[in-house]
Structure formats: structure tokens, C-alpha cells
Amino acid sequence: MSADALKRAAAERAVGLVRDGMKLGLGSGSTAAAFVSLLADRVRAGLAVVGVPTSEQTRDQAEREGVPLATLDEIPELDLTVDGADELDDELRLIKGGGGALLREKIVAAASRRMIVIADGGKRVERLGRFPLPIEVVPFGLAATRAAVRKAIREAGSDGELRLRTAATGQPFLTDGGHCILDAALGRIDAPERLAAALAATPGVVEHGLFLGLASGAILATESGLVELGRV
């Protein structure tokens, strides 16, 4: 199966979890986009749901396809969030933020009773860190924050190149919230919880891409079929 077909298979399984009246967190990225598209099909068939998008890109797609939307100010508690992941391990610890929406994704996930990850099986790893860890930072004092982040990473037992993400124009990539992203190419993260705490305590860091204790289950599409982890 093609990569797109695998993503669609995982999205189809996740759409089957949605019930009438649910308040949903709508994730970002290509796999989540497949979920939103399939959800829109059910909405057009009469399903009554409301979604909270995790990015402007997801908002645009949902509005275009007719999925009713709200904000977390209007509905601060959600039933289910379905989102992708750049990497996950068997303990359902995730790295997210490759698309730059990690802050809103984490806020929405934390406001949900359940978070289900949908991804192709290639995102499953024995140890996190192969995918560069995104770290969202404020533009003010960027050089100082970058040095502090590098120190925090080393003190947490990891190390690697720390790159400022740039856009196609060559200028710094800016998130929907107007922040910059530092991508930490660590190779492996032996102590994700320790690293998460160190980054969270660093002034200038808005959020990091380690999603720990948020996902309750995962649906992975492999060439041999769907694999489910945790509680789906």
C-alpha cells in the first residue's frame, strides 16, 4: 500500500470511534487531514459533532469541508482528539511538531478526555529521538534562549545539533502563535521525562514536542494491517 493509503486506513479506523454529539480535537498534518476529510463525509451524512482545530491549516480544511468548529473558550473540555505523530514508542510517548503546530496540539490534547494517535507504522520506534525534537521559543532573546536550551538538553543527558527552523524564504519559520522553532537532532532520548522537565523550566521556551502521558491509544497502519497500541 502507498503511504497515503496507509494514512487513510488509520484515519478510517479513527473515524469509526466518533459518536454523535462528540466534541473533537482536530489534529494537524497529513494523517490528521485524512481524518478530517473522512469526518466531513460523516457530517454530510448527518453526524452531529463540533471540532476544535489545532492549526490554521486544519481550520481552513475543516471550514472548507463543512465540519462545524468552535474554540476551547466555547467548549473547554473535549471528548476525543485525533492527531498524528512524528514518532511514538510503545509507552505512547510522542514527538510532535514537525509541522510547527505543537503548542496548539498540546493544549487541545490536554483538554481532551482521550487522545488517539493515527500514523503509519514507520513512526513507531523503540526509543524516541530519531526525529528531531521541535522546541517552540519566543523570538525575543533568541540567542540566549538557544544557549539555555542547549545547556538544558545536555544536563538532561542528551546532546546533538540545535537548528533554527527556517521557512522557504530563508527567514525564521514562525508558528501560528508567532514563535520560532529550534529543532534538536538528538538521535536518541534516553530520559524523555527528564528532558521534558528541563525544557519546560527554561525561560524563553514556550513548549516542546515531547507529548508524555497524553495519548491513550494509537492506530498504526502497516502493510500487514492495522496495529493498535494502548486503549483505542
Side-chain angles (χ1 to χ4, degrees):
M1 294 177 67
S2 68
D4 287 342
L6 291 173
K7 292 174 182 178
R8 186 176 178 85
E12 286 177 343
R13 172 71 177 95
V15 168
L17 301 175
V18 178
R19 300 291 179 263
D20 202 60
M22 273 190 166
K23 295 167 287 188
L24 304 171
L26 307 179
S28 301
S30 57
T31 310
F35 171 81
V36 172
S37 183
L38 291 167
L39 178 66
D41 289 340
R42 289 194 61 191
V43 167
R44 286 189 288 270
L47 179 72
V49 295
V50 61
V52 173
T54 56
S55 67
E56 294 305 309
Q57 184 176 22
T58 300
R59 177 183 300 280
D60 290 344
Q61 180 195 359
E63 289 179 342
R64 190 170 59 249
E65 299 204 39
V67 177
L69 297 179
T71 68
L72 281 180
D73 291 320
E74 295 166 322
I75 47 171
E77 294 183 1
L78 305 177
D79 298 303
L80 172 68
T81 285
V82 176
D83 205 348
D86 296 302
E87 204 169 74
L88 76 159
D89 66 14
D90 286 353
E91 295 181 46
L92 292 175
R93 297 179 296 191
L94 319 173
I95 286 181
K96 289 179 55 56
L102 64 153
L103 175 59
R104 294 188 185 185
E105 288 172 341
K106 189 172 283 190
I107 292 171
V108 170
S112 304
R113 293 187 180 90
R114 281 198 301 159
M115 178 191 183
I116 300 298
V117 174
I118 53 174
D120 67 79
K123 302 295 179 67
R124 184 181 183 182
V125 296
E126 290 186 7
R127 190 184 305 273
L128 296 178
R130 182 179 64 191
F131 189 91
L133 175 65
I135 304 162
E136 189 164 344
V137 299
V138 296
F140 176 82
L142 182 58
T145 300
R146 188 171 184 168
V149 166
R150 184 177 290 110
K151 180 181 178 182
I153 288 173
R154 288 174 177 168
E155 289 180 348
S158 297
D159 200 8
E161 185 179 359
L162 194 62
R163 298 186 293 265
L164 175 65
R165 189 181 299 186
T166 56
T169 61
Q171 297 299 309
F173 171 89
L174 294 180
T175 68
D176 287 340
H179 305 130
C180 299
I181 289 184
L182 299 173
D183 288 306
L186 305 179
R188 57 183 286 162
I189 300 173
D190 291 318
E193 289 79 10
R194 182 181 173 189
L195 178 57
L199 291 172
T202 303
V205 172
V206 179
E207 193 50 84
H208 55 77
L210 286 167
F211 283 51
L212 310 178
L214 289 172
S216 58
I219 302 167
L220 306 178
T222 72
E223 292 186 357
S224 58
L226 294 180
V227 174
E228 297 185 0
L229 305 177
R231 181 176 59 87
V232 174

